[in-house]
Amino acid sequence: MKDDKQFEKDSSAADSSADSVDEYLQSLGNEDAREQRYYSQEQPFSADEMTRLVNEERLNELLAQSDAFLNGLSDELRDFDE
């Protein structure tokens, strides 16, 4: 009896997953649906929310590190050509 309930639970979960996959595959050919799905995942943030969410000091550190990395990479590429 317990196995039957577990099977039903697993089966319904598998059905819902299969349904989701089927819907996704059917929508792949539909460009409008794909675009709608993409944009529905975006969340607009106000300037106040961005200010609250972004750690400006850490962001500046990361930007400086990335600039240093890219400069070093550019130097290495120049040396590689010679």
Side-chain angles (χ1 to χ4, degrees), residues 36-47 49-50 52-53:
Q36 183 179 6
R37 221 179 22 259
Y38 175 77
Y39 288 113
S40 69
Q41 295 173 5
E42 290 184 0
Q43 297 179 3
F45 291 100
S46 69
E49 287 175 311
M50 288 302 290
R52 185 175 51 83
L53 293 173

Side-chain angles (χ1 to χ4, degrees), residues 5 10 14 18-19 21 23 45 53 59-60 66 68 70 81:
K5 287 184 181 181
D10 291 344
D19 290 342
V21 169
E23 288 174 22
F45 291 100
L53 293 173
L59 178 61
N60 287 331
S66 66
L70 291 174
D81 286 342

Side-chain angles (χ1 to χ4, degrees), residues 20-80:
S20 297
V21 169
D22 187 46
E23 288 174 22
Y24 174 76
L25 291 175
Q26 288 178 5
S27 69
L28 282 178
N30 185 343
E31 188 65 35
D32 291 336
R34 189 178 338 167
E35 190 171 321
Q36 183 179 6
R37 221 179 22 259
Y38 175 77
Y39 288 113
S40 69
Q41 295 173 5
E42 290 184 0
Q43 297 179 3
F45 291 100
S46 69
D48 292 337
E49 287 175 311
M50 288 302 290
T51 302
R52 185 175 51 83
L53 293 173
V54 173
N55 180 339
E56 190 172 346
E57 184 179 327
R58 180 66 178 138
L59 178 61
N60 287 331
E61 289 174 16
L62 291 171
L63 290 172
Q65 288 175 4
S66 66
D67 287 345
F69 172 77
L70 291 174
N71 287 333
L73 186 60
S74 294
D75 291 341
E76 291 294 324
L77 289 173
R78 263 188 249 112
D79 293 342
F80 181 76

Side-chain angles (χ1 to χ4, degrees), residues 4-22:
D4 290 341
K5 287 184 181 181
Q6 183 65 35
F7 176 76
E8 287 176 17
K9 184 178 176 182
D10 291 344
S11 178
S12 65
D15 288 345
S16 63
S17 296
D19 290 342
S20 297
V21 169
D22 187 46

